[in-house]
């Protein structure tokens, strides 16, 4: 990256960091069970809600308990279950139409990050009926309060139940819109481990590693606070201690509960301190090839950490100690290498690949432009990279067939 652009990026990031205490961050109110969701909505005088989920969760009966609880409280439940793994602009348009047709007053997102992102973007379209999603992408473009939003995560990884972010895909342009607004933080988050029992092992693995990526990128970045550092360390400890148990035994209540707590803590950390190039590259891979976000993060995490080099050794040592994968006597370099190796071993143990065969060389320049545009100057990364340097990250995870 040229020196002038580096100065611009660092000045922008410093200004953003100094403004953190003034930002209207808030945390959702935590509810321990699905039944509490209906009670809270009834207390707000809500009589009609839109449930945003996906077809698998709906047809499998996973949403039945929620729908019954709402009915018992006299709350009409209109359902949009067309959410795709990478929610699209069409998903948001359909959900918004369903919301208006049902005379809804609140949103309930039931599922992984995709359902929550779809619900957040739907809320934005409800309060800005004349704007397209393209006009609302970026930072602080949605200032009006969204309708009351309840997030019920069925995965333990995205942290969307506590974040300011929604990511929506435009299939025609093969690009993802990232929307960052304080108004998108859900009012309530239901952290009920029982709804994660049916999560398949592979999704348990990739969403768990997604949460680890949130914690790591928040911790190694330049905009940390004492709270986000502590949250990131606690999330890292919880993930390393519980992800394998949750992966091998989906009904392990203690492991599932710990993973939900880890995802929440990591979500708090990166909501305030932001992420980095892992996310920027992962978003472009999802937009171009439909690669699930958690899977992309899982594969990229050790690769990008290695590329950062000595700039992250000291901080990775702290994470390695929290994860209990190094000794107190280890140097920063040794501990960092052990931490990266431990990530690779977790990926291997849970069947996560090291490469993506779908990546095509001719697509890399455009994806790198998208990643550069998303990350620079906003993300407070430990080492700045320009578009050409970012291209090498795609090649590092590009499979050869």
């Amino acid at each position: 990256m040229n020196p002038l652009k580096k100065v611009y990026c660092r000045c922008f990031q410093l200004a953003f960091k100094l403004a953190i205490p003034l930002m209207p961050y808030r945390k959702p109110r935590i509810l321990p069970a699905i039944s509490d969701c209906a009670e809270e909505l009834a207390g707000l005088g809500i009589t009609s809600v839109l449930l945003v989920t996906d077809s698998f969760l709906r047809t499998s009966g996973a949403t039945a308990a929620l729908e019954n609880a709402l009915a018992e409280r006299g709350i009409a439940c209109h359902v949009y279950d067309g959410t795709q793994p990478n929610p699209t602009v069409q998903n948001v348009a359909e959900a918004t139409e369903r919301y208006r047709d049902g005379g809804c007053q609140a949103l309930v997102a039931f599922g992984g990050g995709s359902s929550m992102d779809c619900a957040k973007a739907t809320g934005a379209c409800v309060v800005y009926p004349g704007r397209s999603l393209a006009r609302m992408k970026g930072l602080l473009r949605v200032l009006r309060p969204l309708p009351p939003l309840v997030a019920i995560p069925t995965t333990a990884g995205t942290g969307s139940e506590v974040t300011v972010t929604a990511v929506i895909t435009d299939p025609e342009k093969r690009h993802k819109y990232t929307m960052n607004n304080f108004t998108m933080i859900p009012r309530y988050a239901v952290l009920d481990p029982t709804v994660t029992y049916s999560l398949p092992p592979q999704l348990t693995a990739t969403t768990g590693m997604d949460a680890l990526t949130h914690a790591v990128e928040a911790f190694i970045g330049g905009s940390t606070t004492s709270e986000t550092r502590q949250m990131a360390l606690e999330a890292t400890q919880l993930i390393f201690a519980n992800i394998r148990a949750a992966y091998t035994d989906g009904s392990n209540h203690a492991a599932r509960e710990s993973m939900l707590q880890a995802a929440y803590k990591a979500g708090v950390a990166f909501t305030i301190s932001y992420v980095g190039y892992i996310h920027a590259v992962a978003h472009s891979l999802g937009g171009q090839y439909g690669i699930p976000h958690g899977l992309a993060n899982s594969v990229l995490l050790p690769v990008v950490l290695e590329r950062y080099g000595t700039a992250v050794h000291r901080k990775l040592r702290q994470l390695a100690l929290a994860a209990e994968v190094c000794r107190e006597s280890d140097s920063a370099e040794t501990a960092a290498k052990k931490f990266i190796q431990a990530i690779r071993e977790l990926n291997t143990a849970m069947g996560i690949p090291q490469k993506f065969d779908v990546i095509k060389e001719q697509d890399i320049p455009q994806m790198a432009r998208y990643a550069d545009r998303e990350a620079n100057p906003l993300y407070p990364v430990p080492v700045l990279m320009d578009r050409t340097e970012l291209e090498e990250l795609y090649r590092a995870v590009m499979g050869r067939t």
Side-chain angles (χ1 to χ4, degrees), residues 353-368:
Q354 297 181 32
K355 307 277 186 179
F356 294 117
D357 291 339
V358 296
I359 299 177
K360 297 179 176 62
E361 177 65 32
Q362 63 265 31
D363 296 333
I364 290 178
Q366 181 62 55
M367 290 190 294

Side-chain angles (χ1 to χ4, degrees), residues 7-236:
V7 170
Y8 167 65
C9 287
R10 291 309 191 199
C11 288
F12 184 99
Q13 292 159 15
L14 176 60
F16 207 87
K17 180 177 181 178
L18 294 174
I20 285 177
L22 306 176
M23 296 291 187
Y25 292 107
R26 59 179 174 80
K27 296 176 186 175
R29 181 178 173 187
I30 303 300
L31 305 176
I34 284 177
S35 57
D36 298 320
C37 166
E39 184 176 344
E40 290 294 332
L41 290 173
L44 294 175
I46 302 296
T47 59
S48 180
V49 303
L50 178 68
L51 170 59
V52 180
T53 186
D54 60 57
S55 58
F56 171 77
L57 288 171
R58 184 81 192 292
T59 57
S60 68
T63 64
L66 171 63
E67 293 180 62
N68 291 336
L70 291 170
E72 290 173 2
R73 287 284 180 173
I75 300 174
C77 181
H78 303 270
V79 181
Y80 177 73
D81 62 2
T83 309
Q84 300 298 307
N86 287 305
T88 66
V89 291
Q90 183 64 29
N91 290 154
V92 176
E94 292 169 352
T96 303
E97 184 178 6
R98 189 75 52 86
Y99 183 97
R100 290 174 177 147
D101 289 345
C104 300
Q105 304 151 296
L107 291 151
V108 179
F110 188 103
S114 297
S115 294
M116 286 183 265
D117 284 0
C118 185
K120 290 177 181 180
T122 298
C125 289
V126 167
V127 297
Y128 287 99
R131 287 192 192 178
S132 66
L133 284 174
R135 289 179 59 199
M136 292 189 283
K137 70 177 181 179
L139 185 65
L140 302 181
R141 298 290 183 86
V142 180
L143 301 179
R144 295 175 185 169
L146 268 59
L149 171 60
V150 181
I152 307 176
T154 60
T155 66
T158 67
S160 292
E161 67 273 12
V162 71
T163 69
V164 299
T165 304
V167 183
I168 306 298
T169 300
D170 186 332
E172 292 184 2
K173 297 181 180 179
R174 294 192 174 187
H175 179 53
K176 285 191 171 185
Y177 296 140
T178 301
M179 306 163 67
N180 297 288
N181 304 277
F182 299 108
T183 56
M184 287 184 167
I185 301 173
R187 185 178 297 194
Y188 302 100
V190 181
L191 302 185
D192 186 346
T194 61
V195 303
T196 69
Y197 284 178
S198 60
L199 189 67
Q202 195 61 20
L203 280 176
T204 298
T206 56
T207 56
M209 295 305 288
D210 188 17
L212 181 63
T213 304
H214 296 155
V216 171
E217 287 206 294
F219 191 81
I220 66 176
S223 293
T224 61
T225 67
S226 58
E227 179 188 23
T228 62
R229 287 191 293 273
Q230 186 61 34
M231 287 284 198
L233 288 171
E234 290 175 6
T236 300

Side-chain angles (χ1 to χ4, degrees), residues 313-335:
H313 283 176
R314 182 179 59 83
K315 289 186 175 181
L316 290 188
R317 180 179 182 275
Q318 293 175 266
L319 291 169
L321 288 170
E324 299 182 0
V325 297
C326 77
R327 297 189 298 265
E328 281 281 357
S329 58
D330 286 337
S331 66
E333 180 181 5
T334 298

